[in-house]
Amino acid sequence: MDLIYASADELRRLYQSKEVSPVEVARATLDAVDRWNPIVNAYCYLDRDLTLQEAAESEARWMAGAERGPLDGIPYGVKDLLLVRGLPTGYGSSAARITDAAQEDAPAVARMREAGAVLVGKTTTSEFGWKGTADSPLTGVTRNIWDFSLTSGGSSGGAATALAAGMGTLQIGTDGGGSTRIPASFCGVTGMKASFGGVPAWPAGPMLTLSNVGPMARSVADLKGLLSVMMQADPRDWNSVPLPRHVRAPARTLQGLRIGLHLDEQCSPEVRGIIQAAADKLQEQGAHIVPTELPLAGAKELITAHWEAGTAWLVNQVSAAQRPLVDEGLRQVASKGEKNSLLDYYQALIGRQKLGEAMLRHFAQFDLVLTPTVPILPFEAGREAPSDAASQNWLDWNPYTYPFNLTRQPAISLPAGFSASGLPVGLQLVAGLYQDEWLVDVAQLVEDCLQVRRPRF
């Protein structure tokens, strides 16, 4: 078995039987980092001694029969927007990086530490996660393991390409407009944004109720195990929604599920064909696929107003002396936000409320909705949009993920198939608020039905 591509459950069984040690897995993972990270730039911070120390501690627990749970000894990475006790926090920012060691863990990291998981390192992000790629002034360009000339997507792009390259079994990302789901689609892995408040987050993200901490993995089963740990309560998150939330019987079959299929003119013909073929396979398994048009009119203007306000606040936290070091594109967005009035912002809040209500009514027709995750294939690394695109605004090539940050609904991206050139394409499944666990169960059924080849390099 190739340890770097083993699932979390496979590793757990190997640890339990004493056939493999967490130290062996950690060493194999670090070997993969040595091979691929200089090329794809997925990790921006590594501490090999710490990784091997945590693996040795896990090995001792497994040998003594005192393991902490199914994630004990499982290697994982953390996006460098989140605090990890004892490590610096870069935020992808030359202007605002914090070189001092963090004194606390972010909630998801704290839960992973308690679970005995083994930290590989911190992964790359765009500056403060502001755009749909993982390139930043601090760490440079992050590339796609499927084709080094292409982007990984982002802003959790380091996490996604690390997963695909076997540089960690699990990853913790963030998602303020699609940042776990976009790179999951581009890199052929799985990424999720839970219902807002479902995964505790602290400190709060600058985009407030748009911001989420999300699980990423190579399979839905691994994502499910990670999500169950990340969703545990943390008293520091003022926005956290207490358990239990929405209770729905686990999904056992696709038979009879009513799935709305949203495919529109923004989707490229090749991606559209792959998503339609995936939907046809689900229909063969008994799902009712119903073409639909989501109420997305005005959603881009709403996310733009929120994004401009959040970035204006964020950039103003950077000292005037350091501000020229901020990503030029981020400064441009912040400049627009400074010009918007309070009335403009409040109008966007009202518009968001109306969008949420419209989406609630629309979803009443279905058990869930299926969309492309991204309507295009990965484009040239180092760019914010395809070179031939009419607009270089990342929101224009990414119309399907951010609406569900606005509506707070759970959304998951998983592989749907491959382009003619061999690049991965993802589909997005979206359910009603707080139906997170049920949505993951359905995603696992979809994954089993489609049987898309997983990455292995």
Side-chain angles (χ1 to χ4, degrees), residues 233-257:
D234 191 291
R236 295 172 292 175
D237 184 1
W238 180 68
N239 290 307
S240 184
V241 179
L243 292 167
R245 302 181 184 106
H246 185 100
V247 178
R248 184 170 182 174
R252 303 296 186 196
T253 177
L254 294 171
Q255 184 77 36
L257 285 183

Side-chain angles (χ1 to χ4, degrees), residues 120-143:
V120 179
K122 302 192 78 175
T123 57
T124 55
T125 173
S126 56
E127 189 165 15
F128 300 114
W130 81 272
K131 60 184 177 180
T133 67
D135 311 337
S136 79
L138 180 64
T139 60
V141 175
T142 295
R143 299 178 181 275

